[in-house]
Amino acid sequence: MALSNQDGTADDGSQTKHTRAQAERTGDRRGRTGGFGRRSFLGVAASAAAVPLLGGAAQAAPDARRVEIVSTGPEPTSYEFTVTGKIDLVKGTTERNDAVTENDDGSWTAAGQVVDGGRDAYTVAGEITDFSPEKGAFELRVDGSAVDPAAVGGESSGSSDSATEGGETAGTADLESPELLGGGDGYPNAVAESEADVVAATLDELEQALNGASSGDVVYVAGDATIDATPATGTERLTIPSGVTLASDRGIDGASGGEIKTDVIDWETLLWAESDARVTGVRITGPLSEYIEYSKPVSSGLTVKGSGVEIDNVEASGFSHSAIKLNASAHVHHSYVHTNSMDGLGYGIMCYGGQDTLVEYNRFDFNRHSVANEGTAGYEVRYNRFEGKAIAYQVGTHRPGATTLKIHHNTFIPTKHINDGVDPSCHVTIRGVPDDVADIHHNWFHNPKKPLDSPDMWTNEAIVQAHVDEWSNVEYSDNHYGPDEPSADIGCPR
């Protein structure tokens, strides 16, 4: 539908014909659903206790972020918060006892209740000006970072129940730091073994712990453990129940994290994650270490089958189908996903279902496709670094073309495709026509070849649309092409 002729960066802030048309058609989609700013709208204020957190910060906030209220105990917590801009429910997480209303002054208010490990999630535009209660059996997160509710929209109390080692609260940690791309060393939201309800070091212990866990529990893989899950029999899989956290110590004092692995490709998935589960700090490892031709059977590492799942600070590698397979929307962030390297499949993250998947602040390397879409789901891919080796295009979708795709503020480094030897070749490929739009902006593409004026099937520019004769529901602007470094507002944190 829209074709951009803005092929370079635009550091002067000028608005191209493309972005004007986009704003007219969507009511400024980027203003509704994805912030451009390098820092989160909590990060500016969080570094200074005297500045109201989220509201009234000296620096303008990005346009939209993910806000989550996560229950940490069996007692219900009723909450309410107000935002200067619009609030949208994240489908699948806030559909029962939650309400969003627009106020007479143009602000929006959300109210709801979480209990027993449950999680409510919203996408918000503008600043949070009020949040209540200040304390309770819950955690407030903004883009994955825990925030002190007492500091939102008012004076900081200087206290928080979510203090991390070293005296720094999670609310003051800058999760958008370049050093934290991919998680690992220094990741501030790591779960310590002392927080675990059960610690497992063998397959039997892990199976028993997961089978006996209930919402709100933390099942911990011992940091020095390598659990070979291959012996599991029949059709049973290791399942993380709803609301349960599966954790290990990746990034704590330089630890690599406890490992769950298999050395054979003989089943479809190693782990299932049910609704509102969290997987953090673990390594999930399959048998692949090099590029192979397509063959059966195929295997995946972690399969999400319920909404509201969070996957963070994880290393996932070695699977022929997909390291992370999403049958529902999920939040995947600060993880290292690599060496899922079989031809024909070989996905780092594959989206089969859901419309609200958020993939951010990850590192990807040596996957056939690092983030892919089966063709009917939606996703936002932002602030990621695609590095090392590429087997084919790094981000894209299959036909019929998916729904809404947002691909922005990423850095794409590898230009050579191992499967065909072409160098440079495409980074992003849209196969078919999205129902809504594929909005591609503020990315740093190391491939210097800009998109063609008209698509021409399988070509080798940085952005390609296949199976069409003209650009259709694909919009691109303010991207940078080539290895020379662009301005700081282009690409992932660096």
Side-chain angles (χ1 to χ4, degrees), residues 446-462:
H446 277 232
N447 182 347
K449 299 171 69 174
K450 301 175 183 179
L452 298 173
D453 290 340
S454 297
D456 189 19
M457 199 57 178
W458 299 112
T459 53
N460 300 310
E461 296 74 36

Side-chain angles (χ1 to χ4, degrees), residues 212-452:
S214 58
S215 184
D217 287 348
V218 176
V219 174
Y220 210 83
V221 178
D224 59 354
T226 296
I227 297 177
D228 187 347
T230 304
T233 59
T235 60
E236 294 298 320
R237 302 292 184 265
L238 293 169
T239 297
I240 307 162
S242 296
V244 169
T245 294
L246 176 66
S248 192
D249 64 349
R250 182 172 186 250
I252 297 177
D253 296 326
S256 57
E259 183 178 31
I260 303 171
K261 60 170 286 189
T262 179
D263 290 327
V264 299
I265 299 176
D266 64 352
W267 52 1
E268 175 48 30
T269 194
L270 197 61
L271 287 163
W272 290 104
E274 296 184 338
S275 298
D276 299 318
R278 181 187 179 195
V279 184
T280 182
V282 299
R283 288 180 290 151
I284 303 169
T285 308
L288 293 187
S289 60
E290 59 184 6
Y291 175 59
I292 63 172
E293 298 295 328
Y294 177 83
S295 63
K296 291 184 177 181
V298 298
S299 65
S300 296
L302 172 65
T303 297
V304 169
K305 62 177 181 178
S307 62
V309 171
E310 179 181 11
I311 302 164
D312 65 302
N313 192 32
V314 163
E315 181 178 354
S317 64
F319 295 94
S320 58
H321 187 169
S322 184
I324 299 171
K325 186 165 65 172
L326 305 179
N327 294 332
S329 296
H331 185 192
V332 185
H333 63 100
H334 294 92
S335 293
Y336 180 35
V337 183
H338 64 96
T339 321
N340 303 287
S341 49
M342 186 177 78
D343 195 22
L345 293 172
Y347 305 113
I349 299 172
M350 181 57 168
C351 302
Y352 283 100
Q355 300 302 319
D356 297 287
T357 286
L358 179 60
V359 178
E360 59 179 351
Y361 303 106
N362 303 288
R363 290 171 52 216
F364 295 96
D365 184 10
F366 200 27
N367 307 297
R368 176 170 171 263
H369 301 314
S370 287
V371 183
N373 191 305
E374 176 268 347
T376 58
Y379 63 57
E380 182 170 7
V381 178
R382 65 186 187 187
Y383 307 117
N384 301 284
R385 179 180 173 91
F386 300 86
E387 59 191 12
K389 297 182 287 187
I391 296 170
Y393 65 82
Q394 288 103 68
V395 175
T397 184
H398 294 83
R399 286 189 286 182
T403 54
T404 301
L405 307 177
K406 308 178 191 74
I407 305 166
H408 63 93
H409 292 94
N410 304 285
T411 297
F412 296 84
I413 297 174
T415 60
K416 180 179 180 179
H417 286 187
I418 292 174
N419 63 347
D420 58 15
V422 174
D423 188 11
S425 197
C426 52
H427 296 297
V428 174
T429 295
I430 308 300
R431 300 160 68 174
V433 179
D435 289 346
D436 179 23
V437 70
D439 192 9
I440 306 166
H441 61 85
H442 288 83
N443 299 286
W444 178 5
F445 297 117
H446 277 232
N447 182 347
K449 299 171 69 174
K450 301 175 183 179
L452 298 173

